[in-house]
């Protein structure tokens, strides 16, 4: 008897185990008694077919990973096909890491929310492109993508197993993955070059996080470009989050987030917004309406726009915190920043509201925006109330009271929204308060209560406004970085390829 060890990490592996699970226990006992040779099969988590028998270790099969062509999909599920490969034996499944993103029970502390983290699956480029490209160009394209697949899977596992203290190594891994994606794009863009007939040759597969479907596969190289830009944006958000989480010293006390880290975070968030803006304006329009209907929720236009806007909103939040720390910043400057922040989060909320209601990651994303929108309103009405209270008329004091009362209500709403956000799976935690909200959580209740009491002593309650005044409408100052898709890799011009 031959003992067949199935090294599987995907849906096909689970199908095999389901088909032969009843035989496994008996066969294993018999096999152990006879001490047979062990052979291995490998089943790729992207849905690969069964490989031939191999008298070697599982690690030696790594080079055999490939993605099966769509025409073989039905054949993979056919039990008779499996039994033809395995004459008589035992199938033992080694659980793998099919969907690491879906296993996150907690995402740890959140300063910048990172939704929709997606990772690519292995794709065999030699089958669809082998007759179209030179060997050098094909190897270059394949090696770059394989590197990204490996690095993205590693980063996804870190993302789903957060730690309190971030390390330089993790930051370095993020930067290396970003550089790998930047190296890959110029080569990938050759598949979508004007006049190129390779756009629909490769079936690209990515694991989704927000969408109900576990994977999305699409035979369109523009889908791959869109997915790469999305991943670059998510990695940037993850970098900003790590920079903005307060560290704990060796003595056990919280270290203040440095101004350098705040400025770096603003630059990184603007880059993330630039990637997303480019995706919406330059890449999505290239995808046909039929294919756009099949895009996962992560890549819906509304989600991409909301992510872009929330990155800008968080930049303004950091700027507001820096203004609060600066003795030179006036109330007018702080109010303007807070009012601009309200507009960014309001627009983000409007974009998410257009999407169908859902649970899981997408729901958590919506709750994050709701929470930050309430915080922004609390800040804006607080500073608006303080400026109105500087007036010397009964009317200005009455309007100030209404604004400060609105600030208190929004602060209460933000606390409830924060609790709901953190308790929604995957659960999360608040980092220790810092920046604008650390200041405002202390000042809003204290100042609002004091000024409301003083003004109500001067004026009758009947003459106090019952509704909050409108906030000033300031034009938005921050824009995404002007990111442009890179120039085509020179290898496309130097090497002799044909279509």
């Amino acid at each position: 008897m031959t003992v067949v060890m199935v090294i599987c990490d995907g849906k096909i592996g689970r199908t095999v185990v389901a088909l032969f699970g009843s035989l496994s226990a008996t066969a294993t006992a018999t096999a152990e008694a006879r001490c047979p040779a062990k052979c291995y099969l490998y089943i790729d988590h992207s849905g690969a077919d069964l490989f031939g028998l191999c008298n070697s270790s599982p690690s030696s099969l790594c080079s055999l990973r490939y993605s099966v062509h769509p025409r073989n999909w039905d054949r993979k599920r056919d039990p008779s096909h499996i039994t033809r490969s395995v004459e008589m034996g035992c199938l033992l499944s080694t659980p793998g890491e099919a969907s690491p993103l879906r296993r996150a029970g907690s995402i740890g502390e959140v300063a910048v929310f990172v939704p929709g983290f997606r990772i690519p699956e292995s794709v065999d480029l030699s089958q669809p492109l082998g007759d179209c490209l030179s060997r050098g160009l094909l190897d270059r394209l394949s090696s770059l993508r394989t590197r990204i697949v490996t690095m993205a899977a590693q980063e996804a596992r870190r993302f789903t197993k957060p730690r309190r203290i971030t390390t330089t190594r993790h930051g370095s891994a993020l930067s290396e993955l970003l550089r790998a994606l930047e190296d890959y794009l110029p080569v990938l863009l050759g598949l979508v070059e004007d006049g190129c007939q390779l756009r629909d040759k490769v079936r690209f597969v990515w694991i989704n996080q927000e969408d109900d479907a576990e994977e999305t596969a699409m035979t369109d190289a523009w889908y791959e470009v869109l997915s790469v830009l999305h991943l670059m944006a998510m990695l940037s958000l993850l970098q900003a989050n790590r920079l903005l989480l307060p560290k704990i010293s060796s003595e056990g006390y919280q270290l203040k987030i440095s101004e350098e880290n705040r400025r770096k975070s603003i630059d990184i968030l603007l880059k993330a917004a630039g990637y997303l803006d480019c995706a919406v304006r330059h890449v999505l329009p290239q995808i046909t309406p039929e294919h756009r209907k099949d895009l996962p929720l992560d890549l819906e236009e509304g989600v991409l726009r909301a992510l872009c806007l929330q990155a800008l909103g968080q930049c303004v939040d950091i700027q507001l915190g820096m203004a609060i720390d600066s003795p030179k910043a006036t109330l007018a400057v702080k109010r303007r920043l807070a009012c601009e922040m309200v507009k960014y989060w309001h627009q983000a909320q409007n974009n998410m509201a257009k999407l169908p209601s859902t649970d899981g990651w997408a729901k958590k994303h919506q709750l994050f925006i709701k929470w930050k929108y309430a915080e922004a309103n609390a800040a804006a009405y607080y500073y608006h109330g303080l400026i109105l209270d500087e007036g010397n008329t009964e009317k200005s004091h009455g309007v100030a009271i209404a604004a400060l009362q609105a600030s208190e209500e929004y602060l209460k709403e933000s606390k409830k929204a924060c609790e709901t956000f953190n308790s929604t799976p995957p659960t999360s935690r608040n980092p220790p308060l810092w920046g604008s909200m650390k200041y405002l959580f202390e000042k809003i209740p204290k100042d609002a209560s004091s000024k409301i009491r003083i003004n109500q002593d001067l004026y009758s309650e009947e003459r106090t406004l019952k509704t909050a005044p409108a906030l000033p409408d300031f034009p938005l100052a921050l824009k995404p970085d002007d990111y442009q898709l890179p120039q085509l890799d020179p290898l496309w011009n130097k090497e002799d390829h044909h279509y």
Side-chain angles (χ1 to χ4, degrees):
M1 173 183 281
T2 298
V3 178
V4 181
M5 303 290 290
V6 179
I7 313 302
C8 61
D9 53 2
K11 290 184 288 187
I12 304 307
R14 292 192 292 272
T15 302
V16 173
V17 174
L19 287 169
F20 292 92
S22 60
L23 300 176
S24 297
T26 304
T28 301
T30 305
E32 289 178 350
R34 299 182 182 181
C35 299
K38 291 184 180 180
C39 296
Y40 297 92
L41 297 180
Y42 187 85
I43 303 175
D44 194 343
H45 61 275
S46 61
D49 209 343
L50 286 172
F51 289 105
L53 294 174
C54 176
N55 289 297
S56 58
S57 67
S59 60
S60 67
L61 298 176
C62 292
S63 60
L64 298 177
R65 294 171 64 94
Y66 75 108
S67 292
V68 76
H69 193 274
R71 66 171 176 262
N72 294 329
W73 179 256
D74 291 335
R75 185 168 68 89
K76 295 198 305 271
R77 295 177 179 270
D78 179 13
S80 63
H81 166 63
I82 299 174
T83 53
R84 283 197 297 273
S85 298
V86 185
E87 297 180 354
M88 176 78 180
C90 152
L91 294 175
L92 301 177
S93 173
T94 302
E97 302 294 333
S99 299
L101 296 174
R102 291 187 170 273
R103 298 180 183 175
S106 172
I107 55 175
E109 293 180 342
V110 174
V112 176
F113 184 51
V114 186
F117 202 77
R118 307 174 73 242
I119 61 173
E121 288 278 18
S122 299
V123 173
D124 177 24
L125 299 177
S126 62
Q127 182 177 357
L129 299 178
D131 296 333
C132 306
L133 299 180
S134 66
R135 190 72 218 173
L137 187 52
L138 181 60
D139 287 348
R140 171 75 170 157
L141 191 63
S142 299
S143 62
L144 285 170
R145 195 178 193 281
T146 300
R147 183 180 177 219
I148 290 168
V149 168
T150 302
M151 295 175 70
Q154 292 171 348
E155 192 54 50
R157 294 186 183 98
R158 293 192 191 105
F159 178 72
T160 56
K161 296 178 181 179
R163 296 180 181 179
R164 175 63 186 85
I165 301 177
T166 61
T167 65
T168 304
R169 177 173 169 268
H170 285 180
S172 175
L174 284 176
S175 298
E176 288 174 7
L177 179 51
L178 267 171
R179 281 194 294 270
L181 292 164
E182 290 168 353
D183 292 341
Y184 176 53
L185 260 184
V187 185
L188 171 64
L189 288 172
L191 300 180
V192 296
E193 186 184 16
D194 289 342
C196 180
Q197 301 175 19
L198 302 177
R199 171 177 171 175
D200 301 325
K201 291 286 187 179
V202 181
R203 184 171 181 266
F204 293 102
V205 185
W206 286 67
I207 296 177
N208 306 315
Q209 184 184 67
E210 289 194 11
D211 197 79
D212 290 335
E214 183 174 323
E215 296 175 349
T216 299
M218 199 169 291
T219 311
D220 187 343
W222 277 115
Y223 166 68
E224 178 81 347
V225 175
L226 180 63
S227 298
V228 167
L229 286 177
H230 180 271
L231 181 54
M232 290 169 69
M234 296 307 101
L235 293 172
S236 299
L237 295 179
L238 195 55
Q239 282 183 323
N241 184 61
R242 290 175 178 175
L243 283 172
L244 296 175
L245 291 180
K247 309 299 187 296
I248 303 299
S249 71
S250 56
E251 289 78 18
Y253 60 84
Q254 178 184 327
L255 299 175
K256 184 179 180 181
I257 296 174
S258 67
E259 184 171 332
E260 180 186 3
N261 275 10
R262 299 189 196 193
R263 294 190 183 280
K264 282 183 180 178
S265 297
I266 290 174
D267 291 340
I268 290 171
L269 289 167
L270 290 176
K271 284 183 180 180
Y275 298 142
L276 294 161
D277 185 60
C278 177
V280 170
R281 293 194 297 113
H282 300 300
V283 179
L284 268 181
Q286 303 291 339
I287 299 176
T288 64
E290 293 76 18
H291 279 172
R292 288 185 68 169
K293 293 178 183 177
D294 297 329
L295 288 174
L297 183 61
D298 315 59
L299 300 182
E300 287 279 351
E301 182 175 348
V303 173
L304 297 177
R305 289 187 182 276
L307 284 168
C308 179
L309 289 160
Q310 77 182 56
L312 297 176
Q314 296 213 260
C315 283
V316 180
D317 189 14
I318 298 169
Q319 289 178 330
L320 177 59
M322 294 169 71
I324 290 171
D325 290 343
S326 171
K328 296 181 180 179
T330 63
L331 282 179
V333 168
K334 297 170 188 175
R335 179 179 67 174
R336 177 170 184 140
L337 288 170
C339 289
E340 288 184 38
M341 186 163 55
V342 168
K343 291 179 71 173
Y344 284 120
W345 287 110
H346 181 60
Q347 291 178 22
Q349 192 173 61
N350 285 344
N351 276 282
M352 290 296 287
K354 299 174 184 177
L355 302 173
S357 59
T358 183
D359 294 322
W361 280 97
K363 181 65 174 178
K364 195 169 183 72
H365 188 184
Q366 291 173 328
L367 290 170
F368 180 76
I369 292 176
K370 180 180 179 181
W371 164 30
K372 292 300 177 181
Y373 179 49
E375 276 190 354
N377 271 291
Y381 276 107
Y382 172 70
Y383 286 114
H384 190 41
L386 294 184
I387 289 177
L388 290 172
D389 195 53
E390 290 179 343
N392 292 320
T393 67
E394 180 178 343
K395 181 179 179 181
S396 66
H397 291 312
V399 177
I401 290 175
L404 292 169
Q405 286 175 330
S407 176
E408 277 198 301
E409 290 303 313
Y410 275 115
L411 188 64
K412 293 175 184 177
E413 181 182 331
S414 75
K415 291 177 179 179
K416 292 179 181 178
C418 175
E419 292 174 0
T420 305
F421 164 77
N422 284 326
S423 62
T424 298
T427 59
S428 51
R429 303 187 309 276
N430 276 2
L433 279 176
W434 63 276
S436 63
M437 293 318 298
K438 180 178 182 180
Y439 175 85
L440 293 172
F441 265 61
E442 297 171 357
K443 296 293 288 183
I444 288 176
K446 179 181 177 181
D447 288 358
S449 175
S450 173
K451 292 185 181 295
I452 289 171
R453 184 176 63 254
I454 292 171
N455 284 315
Q456 285 181 344
D457 288 343
L458 294 174
Y459 311 111
S460 64
E461 187 174 346
E462 291 76 15
R463 302 183 68 177
T464 302
L465 290 179
K466 299 300 182 184
T467 58
L471 291 171
D473 186 12
F474 297 107
L476 297 175
L478 272 186
K479 303 295 180 185
D481 275 2
D482 184 19
Y483 177 79
Q484 302 290 333
L485 290 174
Q487 294 293 317
L488 201 62
D489 190 289
L491 196 57
W492 281 94
N493 299 321
K494 290 181 179 179
E495 298 217 8
D496 180 24
H497 55 275
H498 54 280
Y499 303 144

